[in-house]
Amino acid sequence: MCGIVAAVSSRDILPVLIEGLKRLEYRGYDSAGVATLTRGSPVRRVRAVGKVAALQAAISADPFVGTIGIAHTRWATHGVPSERNAHPHVSQDGIALVHNGIIENHDALRAELLQSGYVFTSETDTEVIAHRIHQHLLVTRDLLAAVQLTVRELHGAYALAVLTEAEPDTLVVARSGCPVVIGLSDGENFVASDVSALLPVTKQFMYLDEGDVAAVHKNSVVIYDSAGKPVLRKTHQSALSAESAEKGDYAHYMLKEIHEQPRAIAQTLEERVVGARLLEAAFGPGAIEMLQRTEAVQIVACGTSWHAGSVARYFIEQVCRLPCWIDIASEFRYRDPVVPKNTLFVTISQSGETADTLAALRLAKSAGYLASLAICNVPESSLVRESDLVMLTRAGPEIGVASTKAFTTQLAALNMLVIALGKQRGAIDQTRERHLVERLIEIPRLVEETLKLEPVIRELAKRFVDKRHALFLGRGALSPIAMEGALKLKEITYIHAEAYAAGELKHGPLALVDADMPVVTVAPNNDLLEKLKSNLQEVRARGGELYVFADPESGIVESDGVTVIQMPKHVSYFQAPIVYTIPLQLLAYHVAVMRDTDVDQPRNLAKSVTVE
Ligand code: G6P
């Protein structure tokens, strides 16, 4: 996590750095800092605990300018959130550096540096990098060479931006395991953790590859690969507008993103379903052959993306008749998986930079999988670049830490995967394909209709505001949706919420049910409805308060202690996971607003987890 921004120009770049940091706050927000330099003056550094606004206030109290600068917003890993531990970190002779990632051998490096007489002022793993660069600079007298020598000694993950008073026109940046993008402009160049930080100043971007180190000047960018050889990296034109990452008239990004879902899902389906047919080529060149050869599927993801994969597992088994396993990436990467022949390895990630998911993909590459497929929302992410096949979700930038539109577009993409696999494996004929594709195309409208429940859900939220716990129940492909609902509630309201496959209730959680325990249930009209109704009786019999999001034809009626919220009619099996997610997102959102929590940036969390 952590976000970095840097700039080199002939104008004052402080406003660009601050705006960039604000746009990267989703990556971490426990402290922030900036260091700037102008030829002939020493490095100016300001750091503050808290969000970028606190840094801005500190700068306004004692304003300064700079033509070159680096900035950072932090999500603490090594050392508490404090001014001392905030970046930039400095070394002697005016070296300043910002870092995203984790240096695993920092203890050993620190011991050596202490012996050489360096003094440490923070508990971070980052400070060793600054001193090591200084040590090399004493010999090389060249910042680029000093950084190249230093990164060879680092184990772990890093995105770095470094400056020194001795070279007041040079920024050196490096990447291994954490994203770095270079923004190009006329007479000035920029660096950031992702493009959204730089959209107000440029649309032209270059992405560093793993192991690259670059020297960035206002009129040039020279990139070297891990062997130190100069390399050219492609320039991309971003189609995103600066406003796409702004919240407009909405009170929070999360609310805006919830309401963007009909469009985001429609965009994800666009050009991929034509008439009532799915174009498998949408998964990339060679996809058809890979899908034909697939005999099993292994899915790996984290957090909300893992919930999306957990839904897909039901469909891959039921519709495609293929074995399918789903794992949390942080667990998968340390297992020693036995890989059945012709198993397709699928990763799901909003950011495409989640450290555990990337590590799992890298492990999979040597473990004998058939091919890797990434379902991802960020086209230039590491996950996309390192996978054989790709399906991009087209949700647009998601800023709210609690994932919403990224999740439902992942579900839509996974539905397409199910159809494609089913077709290629001969489990789906043309008529069934047509039927499933028609259901897919209806989803944006059904989501639109469900969003109209917002006033009802806002009222309902009042009943959750003072609760300390909540249970969420679902069955079949809807049980991961119950988990997603519980995750949303706990992430942003800090109410303890748990989800269970409803059949599991009597094996433990029922002991917790009393009049103080709201039990939220998703109940579409499917073949598990009658089973679910029995589970609801079990709750009612213990005095539990039930809130049921139900199909109007489910036959579940309101009564004392049972609140029924009518969902759109005739939501099919294939549509229900997406449609029933919407009210749970809205519920979490409105409870959070009433509890006055930080909806978009909940405490202790970050949007993009680029550390293990
Ligand atoms: C963090 C985010 C979640 C996200 C998870 C996985 O925990 O807060 O919203 O689901 O990471 O991230 P990814 O980018 O891989 O989907």
Side-chain angles (χ1 to χ4, degrees):
M1 354 257 226
C2 301
I4 64 173
V5 197
V8 49
S9 175
S10 33
R11 62 170 166 143
D12 173 26
I13 41 66
L14 202 59
V16 177
L17 297 179
I18 297 296
E19 176 62 24
L21 282 188
K22 283 190 182 158
R23 288 167 169 264
L24 289 182
E25 240 178 1
Y26 72 87
R27 299 177 65 88
Y29 35 83
D30 59 41
S31 53
V34 58
T36 64
L37 189 57
T38 304
R39 186 174 272 279
S41 319
V43 168
R44 277 293 297 265
R45 173 175 66 155
V46 181
R47 299 177 295 170
V49 174
K51 294 196 178 180
V52 177
L55 176 69
Q56 232 176 339
I59 294 171
S60 314
D62 184 11
F64 58 97
V65 294
T67 53
I68 179 167
I70 55 178
H72 188 269
T73 178
R74 179 168 188 249
W75 185 82
T77 55
H78 293 63
V80 294
S82 66
E83 194 176 325
R84 233 150 59 82
N85 288 331
H87 301 217
H89 288 285
V90 295
S91 187
Q92 299 163 33
D93 303 328
I95 292 173
L97 148 154
V98 288
H99 166 219
N100 164 209
I102 286 185
I103 303 306
E104 286 170 349
N105 58 335
H106 70 101
D107 276 337
L109 289 170
R110 179 184 285 249
E112 279 178 38
L113 288 160
L114 282 168
Q115 279 212 327
S116 308
Y118 284 93
V119 178
F120 284 80
T121 58
S122 78
E123 291 113 51
T124 64
D125 52 338
T126 302
E127 201 179 352
V128 298
I129 315 176
H131 293 318
R132 202 64 177 167
I133 292 173
H134 178 261
Q135 219 171 24
H136 285 301
L137 200 52
L138 290 176
V139 181
T140 64
R141 302 273 160 206
D142 176 65
L143 183 62
L144 175 75
V147 173
Q148 283 172 318
L149 288 172
T150 304
V151 294
R152 275 181 217 148
E153 299 165 344
L154 303 178
H155 302 168
Y158 54 82
L160 298 175
V162 195
L163 55 78
T164 170
E165 282 168 14
E167 294 180 43
D169 307 313
T170 314
L171 268 177
V172 175
V173 296
R175 161 198 177 141
S176 179
C178 293
V180 176
V181 57
I182 299 181
L184 308 167
S185 190
D186 217 13
E188 49 185 11
N189 288 312
F190 310 94
V191 174
S193 298
D194 85 34
V195 296
S196 66
L198 303 177
L199 288 172
V201 285
T202 185
K203 296 272 157 43
Q204 296 272 102
F205 294 100
M206 227 183 223
Y207 295 86
L208 291 193
D209 263 10
E210 286 293 283
D212 283 356
V213 178
V216 183
H217 296 95
K218 64 181 179 192
N219 290 314
S220 70
V221 175
V222 187
I223 303 176
Y224 301 85
D225 66 11
S226 52
K229 218 168 66 206
V231 279
L232 292 174
R233 300 283 176 229
K234 267 200 280 179
T235 304
H236 301 258
Q237 176 82 18
S238 172
L240 296 171
S241 69
E243 297 71 40
S244 59
E246 285 166 12
K247 64 176 182 257
D249 293 336
Y250 287 96
H252 298 97
Y253 282 110
M254 182 178 177
L255 187 62
K256 172 181 176 244
E257 289 158 3
I258 288 174
H259 282 275
E260 280 172 350
Q261 287 176 110
R263 216 176 109 227
I265 297 167
Q267 277 170 357
T268 299
L269 299 176
E270 217 174 274
E271 296 159 0
R272 291 160 171 175
V273 288
V274 175
R277 214 166 66 76
L278 177 91
L279 306 180
E280 289 90 336
F283 290 92
I288 296 184
E289 192 215 324
M290 288 304 169
L291 296 175
Q292 275 167 356
R293 287 173 57 195
T294 299
E295 289 172 32
V297 180
Q298 168 71 59
I299 307 177
V300 172
C302 298
T304 288
S305 299
W306 176 68
H307 292 155
S310 306
V311 171
R313 180 195 180 177
Y314 285 89
F315 294 153
I316 290 172
E317 283 180 352
Q318 289 171 8
V319 179
C320 310
R321 303 304 304 142
L322 288 177
C324 179
W325 303 276
I326 163 89
D327 279 86
I328 295 167
S330 55
E331 286 298 313
F332 179 85
R333 64 182 289 190
Y334 294 112
R335 283 193 9 224
D336 193 2
V338 176
V339 184
K341 194 166 136 256
N342 290 332
T343 302
L344 179 68
F345 188 80
V346 179
T347 54
I348 309 169
S349 174
Q350 185 282 128
S351 62
E353 301 294 347
T354 301
D356 285 320
T357 310
L358 273 172
L361 170 64
R362 288 168 190 159
L363 173 87
K365 288 194 159 174
S366 55
Y369 286 95
L370 172 66
S372 57
L373 163 67
I375 294 186
C376 187
N377 196 39
V378 179
E380 294 301 334
S381 61
S382 307
L383 199 71
V384 167
R385 282 184 285 144
E386 294 181 30
S387 298
D388 303 318
L389 306 174
V390 174
M391 166 148 290
L392 290 174
T393 49
R394 299 189 187 127
E398 189 180 69
I399 308 294
V401 164
S403 185
T404 52
K405 62 177 180 171
F407 176 64
T408 49
T409 53
Q410 285 168 350
L411 289 174
L414 286 160
N415 280 354
M416 286 190 268
L417 175 64
V418 170
I419 300 174
L421 260 178
K423 236 170 97 178
Q424 295 307 326
R425 297 292 308 163
I428 293 178
D429 62 13
Q430 248 184 19
T431 319
R432 182 113 166 98
E433 177 186 4
R434 169 176 288 274
H435 170 81
L436 290 174
V437 170
E438 280 168 357
R439 302 289 79 74
L440 259 182
I441 298 170
E442 286 165 2
I443 293 177
R445 178 187 57 76
L446 287 166
V447 171
E448 194 85 64
E449 207 178 316
T450 312
L451 285 168
K452 295 195 185 125
L453 286 173
E454 187 168 3
V456 178
I457 295 171
R458 198 185 298 123
E459 277 305 301
L460 195 69
K462 292 182 183 158
R463 301 207 231 157
F464 285 74
V465 178
D466 299 319
K467 297 290 182 194
R468 298 191 52 217
H469 306 277
L471 264 181
F472 285 69
L473 302 179
R475 290 195 79 125
L478 270 290
S479 78
I481 299 307
M483 294 167 79
E484 176 61 10
L487 178 66
K488 288 292 87 104
L489 193 75
K490 80 180 112 185
E491 274 184 307
I492 62 169
T493 70
Y494 317 143
I495 293 173
H496 169 229
E498 296 250 28
Y500 277 88
E504 189 65 9
L505 192 64
K506 51 188 155 311
H507 298 293
L510 199 55
L512 299 173
V513 171
D514 61 14
D516 275 338
M517 176 70 89
V519 180
V520 180
T521 310
V522 276
N525 196 356
N526 60 22
D527 49 6
L528 291 173
L529 181 64
E530 291 311 314
K531 305 273 176 212
L532 184 68
K533 283 184 184 169
S534 313
N535 303 136
L536 301 188
Q537 289 307 325
E538 293 161 11
V539 173
R540 260 329 280 151
R542 274 87 191 168
E545 231 177 274
L546 274 170
Y547 297 93
V548 193
F549 292 94
D551 187 283
E553 286 165 10
S554 66
I556 302 174
V557 282
E558 282 231 343
S559 60
D560 192 22
V562 184
T563 304
V564 179
I565 303 94
Q566 303 281 2
M567 293 289 288
K569 262 191 217 155
H570 306 307
V571 174
S572 83
Y573 162 79
F574 215 41
Q575 300 163 330
I578 296 182
V579 177
Y580 279 73
T581 297
I582 309 301
L584 305 186
Q585 296 170 340
L586 287 169
L587 180 65
Y589 173 77
H590 285 290
V591 178
V593 170
M594 287 171 196
R595 284 169 69 96
D596 202 19
T597 56
D598 192 339
V599 173
D600 285 330
Q601 295 176 339
R603 68 184 183 202
N604 305 342
L605 301 180
K607 179 103 194 127
S608 182
V609 185
T610 53
V611 294
E612 189 176 348

